[in-house]
Amino acid sequence: MDRLFPAEKDNFESMLKEIKRLQLALRLFGAYYDERIHLRMPSLDLSDKSLVQREWLMTAMDYYGESFIKERLANFPSEPPKKYKKEQLVAVPDYVRAKRAYDLAVLRGEQVSTQELLRK
């Protein structure tokens, strides 16, 4: 460091500070992910998981909710977690048709009730 010009030394020191800030941010994210995951799965060992894998796991837990717990994942992937019930999935085509009809009516300038769409 002593052999560097002052401008080079300042540049190098600022790069080191930036690296330290990024490392701190990564540690904070890792601790946040670990805490959130351990709230739902306290016995899960995360030591072999990368930061990205822990983020994916937390995102899956948020998406699937209560169906994404360790006991229900015992038979994964043959029995993947499900977010929606069969009855909800069956209703999707009807909702899409009603939504399309509603959107077309709005585009034509017709008076349509959002309540009617919500009932479906």
Side-chain angles (χ1 to χ4, degrees):
M1 290 286 288
D2 293 336
R3 289 185 250 160
L4 295 174
F5 292 112
E8 291 174 325
K9 187 176 179 179
D10 290 343
N11 188 31
F12 187 72
E13 287 175 347
S14 71
M15 287 190 297
L16 284 176
K17 285 180 185 177
E18 184 64 23
I19 288 172
K20 287 180 182 180
R21 274 195 294 267
L22 291 172
Q23 289 172 335
L24 175 62
L26 291 174
R27 281 196 305 271
L28 287 171
F29 277 113
Y32 173 72
Y33 295 153
D34 291 350
E35 183 179 325
R36 292 273 317 274
I37 292 167
H38 281 121
L39 284 173
R40 188 151 326 142
M41 296 181 185
S43 63
L44 185 64
D45 180 21
L46 298 173
S47 61
D48 63 334
K49 306 287 186 262
S50 71
L51 184 66
V52 172
Q53 290 171 322
R54 288 182 279 167
E55 180 186 16
W56 290 347
L57 181 58
M58 191 186 78
T59 302
M61 290 168 74
D62 287 344
Y63 177 79
Y64 287 107
E66 291 303 314
S67 65
F68 199 88
I69 57 174
K70 194 173 185 179
E71 294 76 23
R72 291 192 183 164
L73 295 176
N75 296 324
F76 185 81
S78 61
E79 294 177 28
K82 295 178 181 161
K83 181 172 176 112
Y84 301 103
K85 296 177 181 154
K86 187 175 181 177
E87 301 80 33
Q88 292 171 310
L89 293 174
V90 170
V92 169
D94 292 336
Y95 173 79
V96 171
R97 277 191 290 278
K99 177 76 168 106
R100 186 179 312 138
Y102 172 83
D103 290 344
L104 287 172
V106 168
L107 287 173
R108 286 188 289 241
E110 298 172 8
Q111 291 287 8
V112 288
S113 166
T114 55
Q115 297 302 321
E116 191 175 316
L117 174 65
L118 293 174
R119 271 194 299 262
K120 295 185 184 210

